[in-house]
Amino acid sequence: SITPGELLCLGSSLAFSGLFYYLYKRKARVVARIQEAPKLQVDDSLPAMVSAAEGRCLPYVALEGIVLPAQAALTSHYHEGLQGVIQKLLLKEHRLIWNSLARSW
């Protein structure tokens, strides 16, 4: 005979397994889209392609080309001859609104 506690454990185990499988499949689709991303060269035609795209945005694109540093390239302390650059990051903060009912931002 199966006890109610065992049924509860079995049900919750199946529910969590279903949830994690759903999340796994959703992330797998995103990874597949990234791996199938078109590879574009950084050249003079790139701004025209971005302007012609829907919403002036190219989702999941791999850019290939030579990157020039703004000042000086960074050199590796561990591998001789290896250089790199730092990408400029843009941080956009969303406005916080005080929720007086929950007493949180």
Side-chain angles (χ1 to χ4, degrees):
S1 69
I2 298 175
T3 64
E6 290 173 340
L7 283 176
L8 179 66
C9 289
L10 177 64
S12 63
S13 175
L14 288 174
F16 280 121
S17 295
L19 173 69
F20 291 137
Y21 182 73
Y22 167 75
L23 294 173
Y24 165 75
K25 292 302 279 184
R26 195 169 84 179
K27 295 299 178 184
R29 282 194 301 265
V30 171
V31 169
R33 283 186 61 197
I34 291 173
Q35 288 177 342
E36 296 169 357
K39 294 180 181 174
L40 303 177
Q41 295 292 325
V42 177
D43 55 8
D44 295 333
S45 65
L46 186 60
M49 291 177 68
V50 172
S51 298
E54 180 182 336
R56 297 179 55 112
C57 179
L58 297 172
Y60 299 122
V61 175
L63 294 177
E64 296 177 341
I66 297 174
V67 177
L68 299 175
Q71 295 175 355
L74 302 172
T75 57
S76 174
H77 296 287
Y78 305 105
H79 300 284
E80 187 175 326
L82 187 65
Q83 294 183 335
V85 295
I86 296 177
Q87 176 184 1
K88 289 185 180 179
L89 298 176
L90 175 65
L91 177 64
K92 182 178 180 182
E93 294 186 22
H94 298 282
R95 192 178 86 190
L96 296 176
I97 299 174
W98 175 254
N99 184 347
S100 60
L101 182 62
R103 296 187 180 266
S104 66
W105 287 99

